[in-house]
C-alpha cells in the first residue's frame, strides 16, 4: 500500500481584529452587571491577542439572529473561504481539482444541502466520480479523523484525497444576558474563524501520516457540548475538561509512539489544539514537554484564537514553515465525547 503524505496545505482567514478591540468595542457592552468584570478577566487571560471573524461583531451584531439567518450567512461566507484554502493547498501539492479522488469537508458551525463538499466540487471542477464525505458536529478534533479517512483512502486506492476544515464560529455569538454563564464567556473569548485544506497523496515529499488514533471517555460526555438552539449553536464547556485530559493524554501519546519505536524526545514538533491556556498547560505537564515544546500551539492561539477543527492544521502549517521545519510531529486535538485524537507524522524529503 502507498504511504499517505500531506503534500500541500492551504490556509484562509477572514479579516482579523485585536482581542482588546473586540472587548472594548463590543463585548464590554454585551456582558452586563457582575458578569462584565468576570468576562474582562477571562478575555485578558485567554492567551489570544488577535482573531479572525467572517462576521465581525464590531461591524455587525448577530447575537439576536435566529438560526436560519445564521445558516444562510454561513453559506455566503464559508464558500469563498473554503475555495481559497483548497486552491492554495492544490497549488502547493502541484495538483488540479480533477485529480482528487476523495473530498472530505469538516465543519460544525454551519449546515446546508447541497453542502460545501458539493458546491466546492462544482465550482473547482472536480471530477464527477470524486467521492465525498462530510464530517459534522465532531468539533475541535474533526481534522484528525478526517485526516485518517483521507489517509486510508490514499493507501487503499493510490489516489489523492483532499481534506477541508472550515469553521465560522463568529456566527454563533449568543444573546446578551445578565446571568453569569462562565462557559459562554470563555467561548466568546476564544473562538475564531478559519479554513485550512490539506492534500494527501500516495508517497512523495511532505508529512507522511504514520497513524491516527483516539480514545473516548464517554463517562464525561456532558463536559463538552454543542447544541443547536433557536439562537444559533451554543457551546457547553465544563471547567473539568483539563482534568479529564490529564487522565488520558499521556497514555494515548505513549502508546502511539511505542507502536512506532519512537520516544517523546524524538518528537520535535507538537501540534496541540489550543482549547485554551489551561489545556496547553495540562498537556505540557502530563507529557513533560520542554519549555518551547508548545511554542507553535501557543503562537497559533495568540494569532488566531481557537478556530475549532482547522486549528491543528494551522499549527502543522506553522511547524512546517519554521526554520528548521519540524521533522517528526505529534498532532493532538480534543472535543466532545470527551474524545482525544492523536496522529504521528514524519517529514519526507
Amino acid at each position: 500500500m502507498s504511504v499517505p503524505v500531506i503534500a500541500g496545505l492551504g490556509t484562509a482567514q477572514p479579516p482579523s481584529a485585536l482581542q482588546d478591540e473586540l472587548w472594548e468595542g463590543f463585548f464590554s457592552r454585551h456582558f452586563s452587571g457582575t458578569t462584565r468584570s468576570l468576562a474582562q478577566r477571562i478575555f485578558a487571560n485567554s492567551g489570544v491577542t488577535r482573531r479572525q471573524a467572517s462576521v465581525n461583531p464590531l461591524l455587525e451584531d448577530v447575537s439576536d439572529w435566529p438560526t436560519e439567518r445564521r445558516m444562510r450567512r454561513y453559506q455566503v461566507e464559508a464558500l469563498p473561504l473554503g475555495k481559497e484554502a483548497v486552491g492554495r493547498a492544490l497549488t502547493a501539492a502541484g495538483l488540479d481539482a480533477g485529480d482528487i479522488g476523495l473530498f472530505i469537508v469538516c465543519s460544525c458551525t454551519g449546515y446546508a444541502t447541497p453542502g460545501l463538499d458539493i458546491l466546492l466540487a462544482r465550482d473547482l471542477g472536480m471530477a464527477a466520480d470524486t467521492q465525498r464525505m462530510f464530517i459534522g458536529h465532531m468539533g475541535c478534533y474533526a481534522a484528525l479523523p478526517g485526516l485518517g479517512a483521507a489517509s486510508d483512502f490514499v493507501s487503499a486506492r493510490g489516489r489523492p484525497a483532499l481534506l477541508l476544515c472550515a469553521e465560522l464560529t463568529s456566527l454563533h455569538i449568543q444573546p446578551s444576558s445578565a446571568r453569569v454563564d462562565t462557559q459562554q464567556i470563555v467561548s466568546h473569548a476564544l473562538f475564531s474563524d478559519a479554513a485550512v485544506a490539506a492534500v494527501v497523496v500516495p508517497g512523495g515529499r511532505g508529512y507522511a501520516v504514520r497513524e491516527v488514533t483516539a480514545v473516548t471517555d464517554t463517562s464525561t460526555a456532558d463536559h463538552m457540548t454543542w447544541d443547536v438552539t433557536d439562537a444559533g449553536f451554543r457551546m457547553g464547556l465544563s471547567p473539568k475538561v483539563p482534568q479529564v485530559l490529564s487522565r488520558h493524554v499521556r497514555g494515548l501519546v505513549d502508546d502511539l509512539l511505542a507502536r512506532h519505536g519512537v520516544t517523546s524526545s524524538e518528537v520535535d514538533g507538537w501540534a496541540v489544539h489550543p482549547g485554551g491556556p489551561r489545556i496547553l498547560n495540562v498537556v505540557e505537564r502530563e507529557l513533560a514537554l520542554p519549555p518551547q515544546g508548545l511554542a507553535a500551539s501557543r503562537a497559533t492561539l495568540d494569532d488566531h484564537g481557537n478556530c475549532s477543527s482547522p486549528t491543528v492544521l494551522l499549527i502543522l502549517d506553522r511547524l512546517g514553515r519554521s526554520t528548521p521545519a519540524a521533522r517528526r510531529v505529534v498532532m493532538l486535538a480534543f472535543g466532545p465525547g470527551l474524545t482525544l485524537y492523536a496522529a504521528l507524522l514524519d517529514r519526507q524529503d
Side-chain angles (χ1 to χ4, degrees):
M1 291 193 301
S2 303
V3 176
V5 174
I6 301 173
L9 286 170
T11 68
Q13 285 113 18
S16 65
L18 292 172
Q19 182 82 320
D20 289 346
E21 292 174 346
L22 290 168
W23 172 256
E24 294 294 339
F26 179 79
F27 287 103
S28 64
R29 300 190 305 273
H30 189 70
F31 299 111
S32 60
T34 57
T35 304
R36 183 182 290 115
S37 58
L38 172 63
Q40 187 170 18
R41 291 196 302 273
I42 290 173
F43 269 68
N45 295 308
S46 63
V48 179
T49 297
R50 69 171 62 243
R51 49 198 172 118
Q52 293 73 44
S54 293
V55 184
N56 189 328
L58 298 174
L59 305 174
E60 189 174 11
D61 182 2
V62 304
S63 61
D64 289 323
W65 283 16
T67 300
E68 180 184 1
R69 188 175 178 187
R70 299 180 197 232
M71 293 301 93
R72 292 187 183 281
R73 186 62 174 270
Y74 171 86
Q75 290 179 282
V76 170
E77 301 291 345
L79 192 61
L81 199 66
K83 189 173 183 178
E84 182 180 351
V86 166
R88 289 175 174 171
L90 288 170
T91 298
L95 295 178
D96 294 322
D99 298 322
I100 299 301
L102 172 66
F103 181 31
I104 301 172
V105 176
C106 302
S107 187
C108 67
T109 49
Y111 295 109
T113 301
L116 287 182
D117 55 330
I118 296 174
L119 298 179
L120 285 171
R122 176 198 67 190
D123 292 351
L124 291 166
M126 293 185 187
D129 64 352
T130 299
Q131 297 182 40
R132 293 173 291 98
M133 178 186 298
F134 186 89
I135 299 174
H137 254 63
M138 277 188 150
C140 294
Y141 66 82
L144 294 186
L147 182 61
S151 298
D152 289 346
F153 176 88
V154 169
S155 295
R157 307 292 181 86
R159 294 188 63 194
L162 173 64
L163 168 67
L164 171 66
C165 296
E167 303 290 7
L168 303 185
T169 65
S170 63
L171 282 171
H172 298 290
I173 294 176
Q174 292 296 288
S176 60
S177 171
R179 182 174 63 90
V180 175
D181 189 339
T182 304
Q183 297 181 59
Q184 292 310 305
I185 298 172
V186 170
S187 65
H188 287 340
L190 288 174
F191 281 96
S192 184
D193 298 356
V196 182
V199 175
V200 184
V201 301
R205 299 178 61 182
Y207 280 109
V209 181
R210 298 302 180 187
E211 185 181 344
V212 176
T213 187
V215 62
T216 300
D217 184 347
T218 55
S219 70
T220 62
D222 62 341
H223 284 16
M224 192 179 296
T225 57
W226 188 231
D227 296 320
V228 178
T229 76
D230 291 338
F233 301 170
R234 183 179 178 86
M235 169 64 75
L237 191 63
S238 168
K240 297 179 182 178
V241 169
Q243 178 183 338
V244 178
L245 296 184
S246 70
R247 292 203 297 266
H248 298 290
V249 68
R250 182 61 183 264
L252 177 68
V253 171
D254 283 353
D255 289 348
L256 170 64
L257 295 180
R259 286 194 291 272
H260 296 269
V262 176
T263 64
S264 61
S265 62
E266 295 174 294
V267 176
D268 61 345
W270 295 89
V272 178
H273 176 73
R278 287 182 63 205
I279 298 295
L280 294 178
N281 291 341
V282 164
V283 173
E284 182 179 65
R285 183 190 72 227
E286 293 300 324
L287 299 183
L289 298 180
Q292 291 300 306
L294 296 184
S297 297
R298 288 197 167 92
T300 300
L301 178 64
D302 182 72
D303 290 342
H304 302 292
N306 178 348
C307 306
S308 191
S309 64
T311 317
V312 287
L313 295 175
L314 284 173
I315 301 168
L316 179 64
D317 182 59
R318 185 182 291 265
L319 289 169
R321 291 185 290 103
S322 62
T323 305
R327 304 294 305 177
R328 182 175 283 120
V329 176
V330 169
M331 302 175 74
L332 284 165
F334 325 106
L338 276 171
T339 302
L340 295 77
Y341 254 89
L344 177 63
L345 316 178
D346 61 63
R347 196 172 182 90
Q348 308 290 300
D349 293 324

